[in-house]
Amino acid sequence: MDFSIPDELKQFVDSVRQFRERELMPLEQEFLLKGNFTNEQRTELEQRARQLGFWALDVPEEYGGQGMGTLATCLVAEELYKHPAMFDFGGSPEPALYEGNEDQKKRYLRGVIDDGKRSCYAFTEPGGGSDFARITTQAKRDGDNWIINGRKTFISEADRADFCILFATTDPALGGRGITCFLVDIGTPGFELSRPIPTMGDAWEPYELTFEDCVVPDANRLGEVNGAWELASEQLTHGRLKIAAYQLGIAQRSIDLAVEWAKQRVTWGKPIATRQAIQWMLADSAVELDAARMLVYRAAWMADEGQHIRNEAFMAKLYATEMAQRVTDRCLQIFGGLGYSKEVPIQSFYRQVRVWRIGHGTGEIHRWMIARNMLGLSSRD
Ligand SMILES: Cc1cc2nc3c(=O)[nH]c(=O)nc-3n(C[C@H](O)[C@H](O)[C@H](O)COP(=O)(O)OP(=O)(O)OC[C@H]3O[C@@H](n4cnc5c(N)ncnc54)[C@H](O)[C@@H]3O)c2cc1C
């Protein structure tokens, strides 16, 4: 068994570290106090990243990207998420866009890769997010068009998006197997960002979206009619693994900060690092982080070998998101009152990791899927 990371990849990740230290770290205090970067700051950072060649990293070379594999993508995500702004390099399309026809690839996929266009991904509705079959936003065929009506909620990045990857029912009788995917441009009449939803995360302000008699041409249907299930399940698998990789960066930075603090904070004449209570929190955190890292790297390696990683991605995301919650909690505790303040990033990590136990499938649904796989059960059992 070979656990080594190729030298070339290590050097690349080191250049990402330098980007984080030079471009992101000087903005950290401002980020912590304001709670987010402005859209202008994010756009400037993306442009700077692009100048330095950090663009479309995971995009296949045939589409003008850098063709980096899943392990590389995870290592880059891990490095970037050591900063609480949770900044991602641009130019990486949602994988579903690779399933588009030639015209859609030209207009949407290449738009993201070449021109930095952005998408949002609208699945969740006020009636529920875990259960695909409960989607009620409806698309009705009208000649060469579809008329869309309904509401989506908690849609991230909608305010920065150029278009929306929308999931709507086209055959309610088929439940989750009657859902179709559409590409809807921001500004299409009948499609509105109805309101932002303030959340406990710094870098998160998802939106509610409404569709009222919104006319979308059939040319903007992504994939087959009633075919969104297949599109979504593959896409979500790779998204889940990337989310798991984010947790590694968050936990590593939190531990690094806590170690430094524990060595310098003195009580009763000794650094708190000499106390068993503190040492155990650090040791448990290090062990759990390492276990999560193994799950993420193994799944990434399998994906790069061309193997299916659905179950491995469920396991990696489930464990890594819960690990990050425990680790950030312990590290905040080691910092005492300072950990609760906006003068250090721990509180931001502590609040922000919470969303990952919910988004892209909750922990409960992940456990259910893993158990179903073990037991050989289907969704109807
Ligand atoms: C900040 C943020 C950003 C988001 N961004 C997006 C986005 O960009 N696009 C998007 O489409 N969605 C997004 N979401 C929504 C997210 O994906 C959903 O919140 C998530 O899928 C859960 O759906 P729900 O909130 O409707 O919970 P529900 O599905 O109503 O579940 C409620 C609770 O019941 C549990 N539960 C449900 N069914 C079962 C079961 N069968 N067995 C055991 N337990 C069960 C769940 O685990 C959960 O604890 C975002 C959410 C947040 C908070």
Side-chain angles (χ1 to χ4, degrees):
M1 212 179 274
D2 181 2
F3 286 109
S4 58
I5 292 169
D7 283 345
E8 204 180 302
L9 187 48
K10 275 193 203 150
Q11 281 163 19
F12 183 75
V13 174
D14 197 52
S15 66
V16 175
R17 179 188 58 74
Q18 287 175 32
F19 176 89
R20 178 175 61 80
E21 288 178 356
R22 287 185 194 143
E23 309 289 338
L24 295 177
M25 295 312 291
L27 301 172
E28 186 166 84
Q29 278 307 315
E30 185 189 338
F31 173 87
L32 291 177
L33 290 176
K34 289 193 181 155
N36 208 345
F37 284 152
T38 60
N39 281 348
E40 291 71 33
Q41 275 175 316
R42 281 192 187 272
T43 305
E44 263 175 45
L45 283 164
E46 276 168 14
Q47 282 168 354
R48 179 84 187 115
R50 195 170 186 173
Q51 283 163 5
L52 294 168
F54 298 124
W55 190 259
L57 298 180
D58 54 352
V59 172
E61 285 168 72
E62 62 178 297
Y63 296 111
Q66 308 205 26
M68 294 194 124
T70 312
L71 179 61
T73 307
C74 287
L75 291 169
V76 170
E78 178 177 345
E79 188 54 48
L80 284 178
Y81 274 61
K82 290 177 184 168
H83 188 284
M86 315 212 163
F87 172 78
D88 270 325
F89 296 137
S92 292
E94 294 283 353
L97 294 175
Y98 292 108
E99 306 303 321
N101 57 34
E102 285 314 308
D103 168 56
Q104 290 165 348
K105 280 185 183 152
K106 203 162 131 202
R107 288 188 291 138
Y108 292 98
L109 181 71
R110 301 298 313 214
V112 175
I113 300 167
D114 300 336
D115 307 327
K117 285 193 173 172
R118 295 187 187 86
S119 60
C120 61
Y121 188 80
F123 175 90
T124 305
E125 300 194 348
S130 302
D131 186 357
F132 212 68
R134 286 184 63 87
I135 286 183
T136 58
T137 294
Q138 196 162 15
K140 281 194 180 160
R141 186 117 200 191
D142 181 22
D144 285 342
N145 293 319
W146 294 84
I147 314 290
I148 300 180
N149 282 287
R151 231 157 30 107
K152 294 286 173 181
T153 193
F154 285 108
I155 308 307
S156 305
E157 300 272 301
D159 56 330
R160 299 188 76 214
D162 297 286
F163 64 96
C164 172
I165 302 175
L166 173 74
F167 291 79
T169 177
T170 34
D171 191 342
L174 292 178
R177 304 284 163 170
I179 311 286
T180 304
C181 202
F182 296 91
L183 300 166
V184 189
D185 293 316
I186 300 288
T188 304
F191 170 23
E192 270 184 17
L193 274 59
S194 15
R195 67 178 182 107
I197 305 172
T199 70
M200 69 188 268
D202 281 336
W204 294 106
E205 191 172 67
Y207 275 74
E208 191 172 279
L209 313 180
T210 50
F211 296 85
E212 273 180 26
D213 293 330
C214 175
V215 179
V216 175
D218 189 51
N220 279 26
R221 169 172 48 81
L222 184 64
E224 301 296 322
V225 174
N226 301 336
W229 173 257
E230 283 73 22
L231 271 181
S233 44
E234 189 58 22
Q235 161 156 25
L236 288 169
T237 291
H238 284 269
R240 278 184 193 117
L241 191 58
K242 205 166 165 189
I243 289 170
Y246 299 158
Q247 315 309 310
L248 307 179
I250 292 167
Q252 184 65 67
R253 174 96 191 280
S254 301
I255 292 172
D256 291 346
L257 288 167
V259 164
E260 281 313 305
W261 179 251
K263 286 198 278 193
Q264 58 176 275
R265 184 64 162 187
V266 174
T267 65
W268 282 273
K270 280 184 180 177
I272 58 172
T274 61
R275 312 291 179 186
Q276 189 186 53
I278 302 294
Q279 290 172 355
W280 283 27
M281 285 199 272
L282 290 174
D284 287 346
S285 299
V287 172
E288 291 179 24
L289 169 58
D290 216 29
R293 198 171 259 136
M294 293 298 145
L295 285 172
V296 174
Y297 290 5
R298 178 193 58 170
W301 174 82
M302 286 174 67
D304 286 340
E305 292 287 304
Q307 299 181 44
H308 287 293
I309 58 159
R310 192 164 180 265
N311 204 46
E312 286 74 15
F314 276 130
M315 288 188 184
K317 182 184 171 252
L318 173 65
Y319 186 77
T321 51
E322 296 187 356
M323 174 280 297
Q325 190 86 62
R326 292 189 294 272
V327 167
T328 53
D329 182 55
R330 290 187 197 115
C331 293
L332 194 153
Q333 192 69 12
I334 291 172
F335 267 87
L338 184 59
Y340 194 72
S341 81
K342 293 196 170 178
E343 287 172 18
V344 292
I346 304 281
Q347 49 76 33
S348 176
F349 287 137
Y350 173 79
R351 282 180 290 113
Q352 299 204 72
V353 292
R354 190 64 184 83
V355 73
W356 300 121
R357 288 177 51 206
I358 300 168
H360 262 68
T362 64
E364 292 72 32
I365 301 300
H366 277 50
R367 284 188 167 83
W368 188 27
M369 295 298 147
I370 294 164
R372 255 172 41 182
N373 193 47
M374 293 165 71
L375 296 164
L377 301 176
S378 79
S379 57
R380 282 174 288 278
D381 293 315

